[in-house]
Amino acid sequence: MSKGKILLTGAAGYIGSHTWVQLSEAGYDVVGVDNFYNSERNVIGRIEKILGKTVNFEEIDCSDRDAFSKVFQKHPDIVGAVHFAACKAVGESIDKPLLYYRNNIVSLLNLISLMNEQAEKANIVFSSSCTVYGQPDKEHLPIAENAPLKRSLSPYGKSKQMAEEILSDSVIAFPELKVCALRYFNPIGAHPSALIGELPRGVPQNLVPFVTQTAAGIRDHLNVFGNDYNTPDGSCIRDYIYVVDLANAHVKAIDKLLSSTDSNANNHTIEEPTYIEAAKTGRWFVYNLGTGKGLSVLELVNGFMKATGVNLPYQIAPRRQGDIEQVWADPKKAERELGWKADTPIEDVLRSAWNWQKSLG
């Protein structure tokens, strides 16, 4: 018996595809939508192969309200949505800010209004990002949800900050709306089946796909952007989280929204000075998703070589505009309130990424 019908936007993307699998395996009926701007059509068939069944998919652009509306007309029994549909590359956002603001904000506005107007229930899990914190002060590391939100260094990050503000205002305005904003750190790795994983178009913007493509001989070498940061080895520090662990957090978030009521607001820890009025409603939740451990770029590179036994040629390159020096999560609130924890060993995660790369031929 289905636990309910969930709309999944950006469903063919990296995190979306893994979340689709985990939601389905958890008993939810998933309706996936994507316009394949930054994903591949064959992902749908790969998801079907993992699940062993035909899936429900609609090819639409979420920023096209009329087209998006038809999904809700076709599936009026949608009880929740997980919203991934967005452009996501920091570097590209600096070159194409209007694309990021138009796509990332308009698609969200359409989702909120259509959920309120046409869905059976209005529960939204939003794909946010640690970029909302900007470059945190060292006294706030690891980052908890009550850390100040600083001005982002990229249009991508600013679009996530704007989206959270829109959602928190909407929770106050619309009593039927419940929102869980998941601020996650750096997802890496691939499904154990090696049927889905991170597949960037063109030159990868993220570290691990560049690592695996270099290891496979597709790239001559890996550039490590900067070795003069104020970190132990001079390279940037991030919190790298296994994508399947991350996908499971979205299942936990949907579970929470569907089971929560205004009356159990006292069970929620209000620690967010930025959105305290929204949190007081008992319908606004924010969680950091990470491992709680920072790993430098050079540590990850060396860890990949150790985990796979594959040599990885790399060189030091100048710093990259928009990069944050160091950031990692304090995930205790998610563990306490969602019952979720990222505990897959980094060696296993890196091997899964390599297995995925090898499966591509």
Side-chain angles (χ1 to χ4, degrees), residues 28 178 180 251-261 264 267-268 285 287 337-338:
Y28 287 103
K178 289 185 283 184
C180 188
V251 178
K252 295 284 191 180
I254 281 289
D255 288 344
K256 181 178 182 67
L257 291 182
L258 292 181
S259 64
S260 68
T261 63
N264 66 16
N267 297 327
H268 171 52
F285 309 94
Y287 298 103
E337 296 189 11
L338 294 180

Side-chain angles (χ1 to χ4, degrees), residues 15 31 103 162 197:
I15 307 173
V31 177
N103 187 60
M162 292 175 188

Side-chain angles (χ1 to χ4, degrees), residues 199-200 202-204 208-220 354 357:
L199 186 60
V203 179
V208 171
F210 214 116
V211 165
T212 58
Q213 288 188 13
T214 303
I218 298 170
R219 310 288 167 189
D220 292 335
W354 180 230
Q357 180 66 56

Side-chain angles (χ1 to χ4, degrees), residues 6 42 70 72 214 223 260 262 309 354:
I6 304 298
N42 66 7
K70 292 176 182 177
F72 289 90
T214 303
N223 283 323
S260 68
D262 293 2
W354 180 230

Side-chain angles (χ1 to χ4, degrees), residues 221-229 234-236 297-298 314-320 323:
H221 64 275
L222 170 73
N223 283 323
V224 175
F225 295 104
N227 66 343
D228 57 351
Y229 286 101
S235 64
C236 290
V297 173
L298 289 173
Y314 69 88
Q315 66 182 29
I316 305 301
R319 292 187 182 191
R320 186 171 55 178
D323 274 347

Side-chain angles (χ1 to χ4, degrees), residues 59-263:
E59 183 178 349
I60 63 150
D61 183 342
C62 295
S63 63
D64 181 340
R65 195 181 193 281
D66 290 340
F68 202 5
S69 177
K70 292 176 182 177
V71 175
F72 289 90
Q73 293 168 15
K74 188 174 180 180
H75 303 278
D77 53 341
I78 287 170
V79 297
V82 182
H83 186 53
F84 291 111
C87 299
K88 63 175 186 176
V90 170
E92 183 186 52
S93 76
I94 293 171
D95 296 330
K96 301 177 181 178
L98 298 185
L99 169 67
Y100 274 69
Y101 291 130
R102 183 186 305 112
N103 187 60
N104 294 9
I105 300 302
V106 173
S107 63
L108 177 64
L109 294 174
N110 289 341
L111 175 65
I112 296 169
S113 62
L114 290 169
M115 286 287 286
N116 278 312
E117 294 168 13
Q118 299 187 27
E120 183 177 296
K121 294 181 180 179
N123 298 293
I124 297 175
V125 175
F126 176 64
S127 167
S128 192
S129 168
C130 65
T131 57
V132 300
Y133 297 109
Q135 174 60 66
D137 296 327
K138 286 192 174 181
E139 62 264 27
H140 289 118
L141 290 172
I143 295 180
E145 289 79 1
N146 60 355
L149 306 187
K150 293 188 174 183
R151 184 176 184 272
S152 177
L153 302 178
S154 70
Y156 164 72
K158 290 172 188 172
S159 76
K160 292 297 185 182
Q161 290 175 331
M162 292 175 188
E164 283 199 10
E165 291 177 3
I166 290 167
L167 285 163
S168 66
D169 288 343
S170 296
V171 164
I172 295 169
F174 307 124
E176 65 275 20
L177 178 63
K178 289 185 283 184
V179 173
C180 188
L182 302 181
R183 296 171 179 166
Y184 36 85
F185 286 64
N186 291 71
I188 61 173
H191 192 266
S193 67
L195 285 169
I196 54 175
E198 188 170 10
L199 186 60
R201 290 181 173 177
V203 179
Q205 297 286 326
N206 294 332
L207 175 60
V208 171
F210 214 116
V211 165
T212 58
Q213 288 188 13
T214 303
I218 298 170
R219 310 288 167 189
D220 292 335
H221 64 275
L222 170 73
N223 283 323
V224 175
F225 295 104
N227 66 343
D228 57 351
Y229 286 101
N230 186 25
T231 61
D233 63 19
S235 64
C236 290
I237 291 176
R238 296 289 183 270
D239 191 336
Y240 295 98
I241 177 175
Y242 184 34
V243 67
V244 177
D245 289 342
L246 180 59
N248 282 326
H250 294 76
V251 178
K252 295 284 191 180
I254 281 289
D255 288 344
K256 181 178 182 67
L257 291 182
L258 292 181
S259 64
S260 68
T261 63
D262 293 2
S263 62

